[in-house]
Amino acid sequence: MPKSIILSLLAVVLLSACTNTSKQNSMLPVQLPQAPKAEKKDSAITVHNHTRIDPYFWMRLTDEQKNAEQADAQTQKVISYLKAENAYTDTVMHRIKELQKNLFDEIVGRIKKDDQSVPYFSNGYWYYVKYKEGKEYPIICRKKETLENEENVILDVNELAEGHTYYSASGMRISPDNKILAFSEDTVSRRIYTIRFKNLETGAFYDDEIPNVSSGGAWANDNQTYFYTSKNMVSLLSEKVWRHKLNSAISNDVMVYHEKDPSFYMGVYKSKSDKYIIIGEGSTLVSDYRILNADTPNEEFKQFIPRGTEHEYSINHFENKFYIVTNDNAQNFRLMETPEDNTSMENWKEVIPHREDVLLEGIDVFKNHLVISERKNALNHIRIINQQTQDEHYLDFGEEVYVAGTSTNPEFNTEALRYSYSSMTTPYSTIDYNMDSKVKDIKKVQEVVGGHIPENYKTERQWAIARDGSRVPISLVYKKGVKLDGNAPLLLYAYGSYGATMDPGFSSTRLSLLDRGFIYAIAHIRGGQSMGRQWYDDGKMMNKINTFNDYIDCSKFCYYSV
């Protein structure tokens, strides 16, 4: 379901809530003003030997409007129309202005202004992010060895943002010796970054600044060599990987790989084992990887396997081998392994076979454990395998409808698995789980300012039958006491594209609807991957009509049954 339709639906339902929950039904004008009408100018657009007529194409600034006078006149015409639309909206919504303000204050009022993330341990340090009330940007901190030690602010983004109308810092990478921070900053809001380096012992910034790049990168094990990707400044896609030596001129950087196919997205990162620098690429149906030993950064990258035509996979290094999650002869993916010094497919050995009813979404590798992220019946499952004994078990989440997934786990030699958990009634929680003792330690539960009692709400799973007989799962949440008899207002949300799955997680914003008697529903329609890879394939390309039919059929189900 296109986001524009969803947003329009939300506006309509909120408007319904405004009128239904008010004491008088005369909040809206009896006669609405005339809505502005955009001018129509038929334009014939031919692409792939197909011609379509777009009456609103004139709103787009084209190459034909070459002189500034023409461009300015067209721009002003579009702006005038948009102002008319805004004025129309203000007129229609004027009588519920107070309710709009109340809703906004409610939503903002539930957000904690002074907050801190749960610390995670990596290479001898505890890292965390904190926010201070009145400050817009995060403060990145760490403490050495224990949380009782002195706090060290490694990056105060509020200071860096001063003087900029927009600022974003991301892609933070700490050198293996913990002494240098590499990070990417964007000051124009186009995801065109500049990489900067900071000495964490002195607090001084290096002169090295690398512009027009993507966020992120990877340190070699010499603490001096940094790999990064540069952008094509027309398409803004990453297309080249470079090797930079700290304290050297950017003009001396060496290009180590150039992707000439514009359909591929690309990034460079380091394996969790710290042994390999990896160039990862992907298009709609194809994955491709190149690896380099992080101890020898001046050598050439080696292609993991030859690039296929329709092969999606991911790689994780462990000891003397790689794990591969692949859809080769496995629509829902299977797990393979191969020796690190001979990665060709004829050496791949199956670890977990393909299953028609389970989607293998990914893995997390630890020294003694292998964690498998799976999806079955539109729900997440976390499976833990002891790599020494091969004993295995699943985490129990205790609710009918929920969302769970592995979180930040940079440490390799640990028995603690960090994962996140939420449901449509339960705020997001960060939990550490001992994979040996099976003991859970809840580190943090998202605070809802003003209070939230999960027991006052109910979440459940229902199934709609689509017109072709397919069973489509629907996740529901509502306040206890609301009857599912067809009389309560209901907001149905769905998104069925790109294999994106809309998980039934918590939203404090949604409480403003639930507390007014609304039922909130998520239809897990085809086009997403809620029910596995087949669910995605059945909702794209020539099967795209299923996405819309599912949404309509779920709407009818809710109308008659909820």
mmCIF file of all heavy atoms in Angstrom, residues 8-44:
data_model
loop_
_atom_site.group_PDB
_atom_site.id
_atom_site.type_symbol
_atom_site.label_atom_id
_atom_site.label_comp_id
_atom_site.label_asym_id
_atom_site.label_seq_id
_atom_site.Cartn_x
_atom_site.Cartn_y
_atom_site.Cartn_z
ATOM 1 N N SER A 8 -3.214 9.414 3.841
ATOM 2 C CA SER A 8 -4.533 9.967 3.588
ATOM 3 C C SER A 8 -5.574 9.262 4.439
ATOM 4 O O SER A 8 -6.478 9.888 4.996
ATOM 5 C CB SER A 8 -4.882 9.822 2.104
ATOM 6 O OG SER A 8 -3.974 10.542 1.308
ATOM 7 N N LEU A 9 -5.445 7.924 4.538
ATOM 8 C CA LEU A 9 -6.375 7.149 5.350
ATOM 9 C C LEU A 9 -6.275 7.569 6.805
ATOM 10 O O LEU A 9 -7.286 7.735 7.490
ATOM 11 C CB LEU A 9 -6.065 5.660 5.204
ATOM 12 C CG LEU A 9 -6.929 4.698 6.033
ATOM 13 C CD1 LEU A 9 -8.381 4.835 5.642
ATOM 14 C CD2 LEU A 9 -6.458 3.265 5.840
ATOM 15 N N LEU A 10 -5.052 7.780 7.295
ATOM 16 C CA LEU A 10 -4.857 8.195 8.669
ATOM 17 C C LEU A 10 -5.525 9.545 8.914
ATOM 18 O O LEU A 10 -6.180 9.746 9.937
ATOM 19 C CB LEU A 10 -3.362 8.283 8.984
ATOM 20 C CG LEU A 10 -2.984 8.774 10.385
ATOM 21 C CD1 LEU A 10 -3.598 7.867 11.437
ATOM 22 C CD2 LEU A 10 -1.486 8.839 10.542
ATOM 23 N N ALA A 11 -5.375 10.474 7.962
ATOM 24 C CA ALA A 11 -5.990 11.782 8.108
ATOM 25 C C ALA A 11 -7.508 11.664 8.180
ATOM 26 O O ALA A 11 -8.168 12.313 8.997
ATOM 27 C CB ALA A 11 -5.585 12.684 6.942
ATOM 28 N N VAL A 12 -8.064 10.801 7.327
ATOM 29 C CA VAL A 12 -9.518 10.624 7.314
ATOM 30 C C VAL A 12 -10.005 10.047 8.629
ATOM 31 O O VAL A 12 -10.992 10.494 9.213
ATOM 32 C CB VAL A 12 -9.931 9.710 6.135
ATOM 33 C CG1 VAL A 12 -11.395 9.311 6.267
ATOM 34 C CG2 VAL A 12 -9.712 10.436 4.817
ATOM 35 N N VAL A 13 -9.273 9.029 9.132
ATOM 36 C CA VAL A 13 -9.711 8.377 10.363
ATOM 37 C C VAL A 13 -9.548 9.308 11.553
ATOM 38 O O VAL A 13 -10.399 9.348 12.440
ATOM 39 C CB VAL A 13 -8.947 7.064 10.579
ATOM 40 C CG1 VAL A 13 -9.357 6.399 11.874
ATOM 41 C CG2 VAL A 13 -9.228 6.115 9.421
ATOM 42 N N LEU A 14 -8.456 10.073 11.601
ATOM 43 C CA LEU A 14 -8.291 11.037 12.684
ATOM 44 C C LEU A 14 -9.393 12.083 12.641
ATOM 45 O O LEU A 14 -9.899 12.517 13.670
ATOM 46 C CB LEU A 14 -6.917 11.707 12.587
ATOM 47 C CG LEU A 14 -5.757 10.879 13.114
ATOM 48 C CD1 LEU A 14 -4.441 11.592 12.845
ATOM 49 C CD2 LEU A 14 -5.919 10.603 14.594
ATOM 50 N N LEU A 15 -9.790 12.486 11.449
ATOM 51 C CA LEU A 15 -10.874 13.434 11.309
ATOM 52 C C LEU A 15 -12.172 12.827 11.827
ATOM 53 O O LEU A 15 -12.965 13.462 12.517
ATOM 54 C CB LEU A 15 -11.042 13.839 9.835
ATOM 55 C CG LEU A 15 -12.017 14.993 9.542
ATOM 56 C CD1 LEU A 15 -11.614 16.230 10.325
ATOM 57 C CD2 LEU A 15 -12.032 15.293 8.059
ATOM 58 N N SER A 16 -12.341 11.526 11.539
ATOM 59 C CA SER A 16 -13.504 10.801 12.053
ATOM 60 C C SER A 16 -13.468 10.758 13.571
ATOM 61 O O SER A 16 -14.486 10.946 14.238
ATOM 62 C CB SER A 16 -13.525 9.384 11.488
ATOM 63 O OG SER A 16 -14.519 8.610 12.117
ATOM 64 N N ALA A 17 -12.274 10.522 14.115
ATOM 65 C CA ALA A 17 -12.145 10.480 15.570
ATOM 66 C C ALA A 17 -12.493 11.825 16.178
ATOM 67 O O ALA A 17 -13.131 11.909 17.226
ATOM 68 C CB ALA A 17 -10.722 10.080 15.960
ATOM 69 N N CYS A 18 -12.049 12.883 15.502
ATOM 70 C CA CYS A 18 -12.338 14.223 16.003
ATOM 71 C C CYS A 18 -13.835 14.452 16.110
ATOM 72 O O CYS A 18 -14.344 14.987 17.096
ATOM 73 C CB CYS A 18 -11.722 15.275 15.073
ATOM 74 S SG CYS A 18 -9.931 15.236 15.034
ATOM 75 N N THR A 19 -14.562 14.069 15.088
ATOM 76 C CA THR A 19 -15.997 14.317 15.082
ATOM 77 C C THR A 19 -16.732 13.348 15.997
ATOM 78 O O THR A 19 -17.658 13.730 16.704
ATOM 79 C CB THR A 19 -16.558 14.180 13.656
ATOM 80 O OG1 THR A 19 -16.229 12.896 13.143
ATOM 81 C CG2 THR A 19 -15.955 15.229 12.739
ATOM 82 N N ASN A 20 -16.280 12.071 16.050
ATOM 83 C CA ASN A 20 -16.995 11.079 16.852
ATOM 84 C C ASN A 20 -16.793 11.292 18.348
ATOM 85 O O ASN A 20 -17.659 10.948 19.143
ATOM 86 C CB ASN A 20 -16.528 9.668 16.482
ATOM 87 C CG ASN A 20 -17.008 9.268 15.100
ATOM 88 O OD1 ASN A 20 -17.947 9.840 14.586
ATOM 89 N ND2 ASN A 20 -16.352 8.282 14.505
ATOM 90 N N THR A 21 -15.626 11.815 18.719
ATOM 91 C CA THR A 21 -15.362 11.965 20.145
ATOM 92 C C THR A 21 -15.741 13.345 20.659
ATOM 93 O O THR A 21 -15.609 13.618 21.837
ATOM 94 C CB THR A 21 -13.866 11.713 20.431
ATOM 95 O OG1 THR A 21 -13.088 12.633 19.669
ATOM 96 C CG2 THR A 21 -13.483 10.294 20.081
ATOM 97 N N SER A 22 -16.196 14.235 19.805
ATOM 98 C CA SER A 22 -16.609 15.554 20.254
ATOM 99 C C SER A 22 -18.046 15.510 20.764
ATOM 100 O O SER A 22 -18.804 14.590 20.462
ATOM 101 C CB SER A 22 -16.499 16.558 19.105
ATOM 102 O OG SER A 22 -17.387 16.193 18.073
ATOM 103 N N LYS A 23 -18.414 16.481 21.548
ATOM 104 C CA LYS A 23 -19.762 16.509 22.107
ATOM 105 C C LYS A 23 -20.791 16.925 21.063
ATOM 106 O O LYS A 23 -21.975 16.641 21.209
ATOM 107 C CB LYS A 23 -19.805 17.466 23.294
ATOM 108 C CG LYS A 23 -18.978 16.974 24.485
ATOM 109 C CD LYS A 23 -19.090 17.927 25.653
ATOM 110 C CE LYS A 23 -18.280 17.424 26.845
ATOM 111 N NZ LYS A 23 -18.350 18.330 27.994
ATOM 112 N N GLN A 24 -20.360 17.626 20.032
ATOM 113 C CA GLN A 24 -21.274 18.070 18.997
ATOM 114 C C GLN A 24 -20.751 17.598 17.658
ATOM 115 O O GLN A 24 -19.555 17.537 17.436
ATOM 116 C CB GLN A 24 -21.396 19.600 19.000
ATOM 117 C CG GLN A 24 -21.958 20.157 20.306
ATOM 118 C CD GLN A 24 -22.046 21.668 20.271
ATOM 119 O OE1 GLN A 24 -21.599 22.300 19.318
ATOM 120 N NE2 GLN A 24 -22.617 22.248 21.312
ATOM 121 N N ASN A 25 -21.650 17.285 16.767
ATOM 122 C CA ASN A 25 -21.245 16.842 15.434
ATOM 123 C C ASN A 25 -21.148 18.000 14.462
ATOM 124 O O ASN A 25 -21.028 17.799 13.260
ATOM 125 C CB ASN A 25 -22.248 15.812 14.894
ATOM 126 C CG ASN A 25 -22.123 14.490 15.623
ATOM 127 O OD1 ASN A 25 -21.036 14.123 16.021
ATOM 128 N ND2 ASN A 25 -23.234 13.789 15.808
ATOM 129 N N SER A 26 -21.211 19.214 14.969
ATOM 130 C CA SER A 26 -21.189 20.378 14.081
ATOM 131 C C SER A 26 -19.842 21.064 14.092
ATOM 132 O O SER A 26 -19.729 22.242 13.844
ATOM 133 C CB SER A 26 -22.271 21.376 14.521
ATOM 134 O OG SER A 26 -22.052 21.767 15.865
ATOM 135 N N MET A 27 -18.791 20.294 14.426
ATOM 136 C CA MET A 27 -17.460 20.896 14.463
ATOM 137 C C MET A 27 -16.986 21.307 13.090
ATOM 138 O O MET A 27 -16.273 22.282 12.925
ATOM 139 C CB MET A 27 -16.465 19.908 15.073
ATOM 140 C CG MET A 27 -16.713 19.611 16.543
ATOM 141 S SD MET A 27 -15.517 18.428 17.163
ATOM 142 C CE MET A 27 -14.052 19.437 17.172
ATOM 143 N N LEU A 28 -17.367 20.543 12.045
ATOM 144 C CA LEU A 28 -16.956 20.865 10.688
ATOM 145 C C LEU A 28 -17.970 21.809 10.047
ATOM 146 O O LEU A 28 -19.157 21.770 10.373
ATOM 147 C CB LEU A 28 -16.846 19.589 9.859
ATOM 148 C CG LEU A 28 -15.739 18.635 10.283
ATOM 149 C CD1 LEU A 28 -15.788 17.381 9.425
ATOM 150 C CD2 LEU A 28 -14.394 19.301 10.161
ATOM 151 N N PRO A 29 -17.531 22.645 9.104
ATOM 152 C CA PRO A 29 -18.476 23.520 8.414
ATOM 153 C C PRO A 29 -19.539 22.696 7.702
ATOM 154 O O PRO A 29 -19.266 21.614 7.195
ATOM 155 C CB PRO A 29 -17.582 24.259 7.401
ATOM 156 C CG PRO A 29 -16.202 24.140 7.951
ATOM 157 C CD PRO A 29 -16.156 22.835 8.675
ATOM 158 N N VAL A 30 -20.727 23.195 7.693
ATOM 159 C CA VAL A 30 -21.813 22.493 7.002
ATOM 160 C C VAL A 30 -21.512 22.401 5.519
ATOM 161 O O VAL A 30 -21.738 21.394 4.870
ATOM 162 C CB VAL A 30 -23.156 23.216 7.239
ATOM 163 C CG1 VAL A 30 -24.254 22.556 6.424
ATOM 164 C CG2 VAL A 30 -23.509 23.204 8.723
ATOM 165 N N GLN A 31 -20.984 23.481 4.971
ATOM 166 C CA GLN A 31 -20.644 23.496 3.557
ATOM 167 C C GLN A 31 -19.148 23.777 3.410
ATOM 168 O O GLN A 31 -18.660 24.828 3.822
ATOM 169 C CB GLN A 31 -21.465 24.566 2.813
ATOM 170 C CG GLN A 31 -21.211 24.551 1.312
ATOM 171 C CD GLN A 31 -22.121 25.523 0.578
ATOM 172 O OE1 GLN A 31 -22.937 26.195 1.195
ATOM 173 N NE2 GLN A 31 -21.977 25.593 -0.723
ATOM 174 N N LEU A 32 -18.442 22.827 2.845
ATOM 175 C CA LEU A 32 -17.002 22.989 2.686
ATOM 176 C C LEU A 32 -16.696 23.978 1.571
ATOM 177 O O LEU A 32 -17.439 24.069 0.587
ATOM 178 C CB LEU A 32 -16.362 21.637 2.362
ATOM 179 C CG LEU A 32 -16.456 20.566 3.451
ATOM 180 C CD1 LEU A 32 -15.833 19.274 2.948
ATOM 181 C CD2 LEU A 32 -15.774 21.025 4.728
ATOM 182 N N PRO A 33 -15.604 24.704 1.690
ATOM 183 C CA PRO A 33 -15.211 25.612 0.604
ATOM 184 C C PRO A 33 -14.798 24.818 -0.623
ATOM 185 O O PRO A 33 -14.520 23.624 -0.556
ATOM 186 C CB PRO A 33 -14.022 26.370 1.204
ATOM 187 C CG PRO A 33 -13.468 25.450 2.243
ATOM 188 C CD PRO A 33 -14.644 24.728 2.819
ATOM 189 N N GLN A 34 -14.768 25.496 -1.742
ATOM 190 C CA GLN A 34 -14.375 24.848 -2.990
ATOM 191 C C GLN A 34 -12.883 24.506 -2.949
ATOM 192 O O GLN A 34 -12.042 25.363 -2.691
ATOM 193 C CB GLN A 34 -14.667 25.772 -4.180
ATOM 194 C CG GLN A 34 -14.374 25.155 -5.533
ATOM 195 C CD GLN A 34 -15.329 24.022 -5.874
ATOM 196 O OE1 GLN A 34 -16.501 24.090 -5.558
ATOM 197 N NE2 GLN A 34 -14.837 22.983 -6.513
ATOM 198 N N ALA A 35 -12.545 23.239 -3.168
ATOM 199 C CA ALA A 35 -11.145 22.828 -3.173
ATOM 200 C C ALA A 35 -10.439 23.353 -4.418
ATOM 201 O O ALA A 35 -11.046 23.410 -5.502
ATOM 202 C CB ALA A 35 -11.053 21.310 -3.145
ATOM 203 N N PRO A 36 -9.197 23.773 -4.297
ATOM 204 C CA PRO A 36 -8.463 24.242 -5.482
ATOM 205 C C PRO A 36 -8.255 23.110 -6.473
ATOM 206 O O PRO A 36 -8.118 21.947 -6.081
ATOM 207 C CB PRO A 36 -7.135 24.727 -4.906
ATOM 208 C CG PRO A 36 -6.982 23.993 -3.614
ATOM 209 C CD PRO A 36 -8.365 23.791 -3.075
ATOM 210 N N LYS A 37 -8.242 23.426 -7.729
ATOM 211 C CA LYS A 37 -8.025 22.435 -8.775
ATOM 212 C C LYS A 37 -6.760 22.777 -9.544
ATOM 213 O O LYS A 37 -6.615 23.893 -10.043
ATOM 214 C CB LYS A 37 -9.211 22.369 -9.727
ATOM 215 C CG LYS A 37 -10.482 21.831 -9.084
ATOM 216 C CD LYS A 37 -11.608 21.697 -10.109
ATOM 217 C CE LYS A 37 -12.857 21.115 -9.458
ATOM 218 N NZ LYS A 37 -13.971 20.969 -10.438
ATOM 219 N N ALA A 38 -5.873 21.820 -9.614
ATOM 220 C CA ALA A 38 -4.625 22.043 -10.350
ATOM 221 C C ALA A 38 -4.916 22.076 -11.844
ATOM 222 O O ALA A 38 -5.751 21.324 -12.356
ATOM 223 C CB ALA A 38 -3.628 20.944 -10.034
ATOM 224 N N GLU A 39 -4.222 22.941 -12.517
ATOM 225 C CA GLU A 39 -4.377 23.053 -13.974
ATOM 226 C C GLU A 39 -3.900 21.777 -14.656
ATOM 227 O O GLU A 39 -2.933 21.149 -14.213
ATOM 228 C CB GLU A 39 -3.553 24.244 -14.478
ATOM 229 C CG GLU A 39 -3.689 24.499 -15.962
ATOM 230 C CD GLU A 39 -2.858 25.674 -16.435
ATOM 231 O OE1 GLU A 39 -2.286 26.378 -15.567
ATOM 232 O OE2 GLU A 39 -2.765 25.888 -17.656
ATOM 233 N N LYS A 40 -4.600 21.376 -15.700
ATOM 234 C CA LYS A 40 -4.231 20.187 -16.457
ATOM 235 C C LYS A 40 -3.675 20.573 -17.818
ATOM 236 O O LYS A 40 -4.267 21.376 -18.533
ATOM 237 C CB LYS A 40 -5.427 19.255 -16.640
ATOM 238 C CG LYS A 40 -5.948 18.634 -15.363
ATOM 239 C CD LYS A 40 -7.082 17.666 -15.656
ATOM 240 C CE LYS A 40 -7.586 16.990 -14.386
ATOM 241 N NZ LYS A 40 -8.680 16.028 -14.680
ATOM 242 N N LYS A 41 -2.518 20.020 -18.123
ATOM 243 C CA LYS A 41 -1.913 20.200 -19.445
ATOM 244 C C LYS A 41 -1.406 18.832 -19.886
ATOM 245 O O LYS A 41 -0.420 18.331 -19.355
ATOM 246 C CB LYS A 41 -0.740 21.187 -19.391
ATOM 247 C CG LYS A 41 -1.104 22.604 -18.991
ATOM 248 C CD LYS A 41 0.147 23.483 -18.970
ATOM 249 C CE LYS A 41 -0.164 24.901 -18.537
ATOM 250 N NZ LYS A 41 1.072 25.734 -18.495
ATOM 251 N N ASP A 42 -2.101 18.222 -20.808
ATOM 252 C CA ASP A 42 -1.720 16.879 -21.233
ATOM 253 C C ASP A 42 -0.308 16.846 -21.799
ATOM 254 O O ASP A 42 0.033 17.627 -22.694
ATOM 255 C CB ASP A 42 -2.695 16.339 -22.274
ATOM 256 C CG ASP A 42 -4.025 15.944 -21.640
ATOM 257 O OD1 ASP A 42 -4.070 15.875 -20.401
ATOM 258 O OD2 ASP A 42 -4.988 15.718 -22.378
ATOM 259 N N SER A 43 0.513 15.946 -21.235
ATOM 260 C CA SER A 43 1.881 15.760 -21.707
ATOM 261 C C SER A 43 2.090 14.296 -22.035
ATOM 262 O O SER A 43 1.772 13.419 -21.233
ATOM 263 C CB SER A 43 2.893 16.194 -20.637
ATOM 264 O OG SER A 43 2.729 17.563 -20.316
ATOM 265 N N ALA A 44 2.583 14.051 -23.232
ATOM 266 C CA ALA A 44 2.850 12.674 -23.649
ATOM 267 C C ALA A 44 4.270 12.293 -23.237
ATOM 268 O O ALA A 44 5.241 12.961 -23.612
ATOM 269 C CB ALA A 44 2.681 12.537 -25.154
#
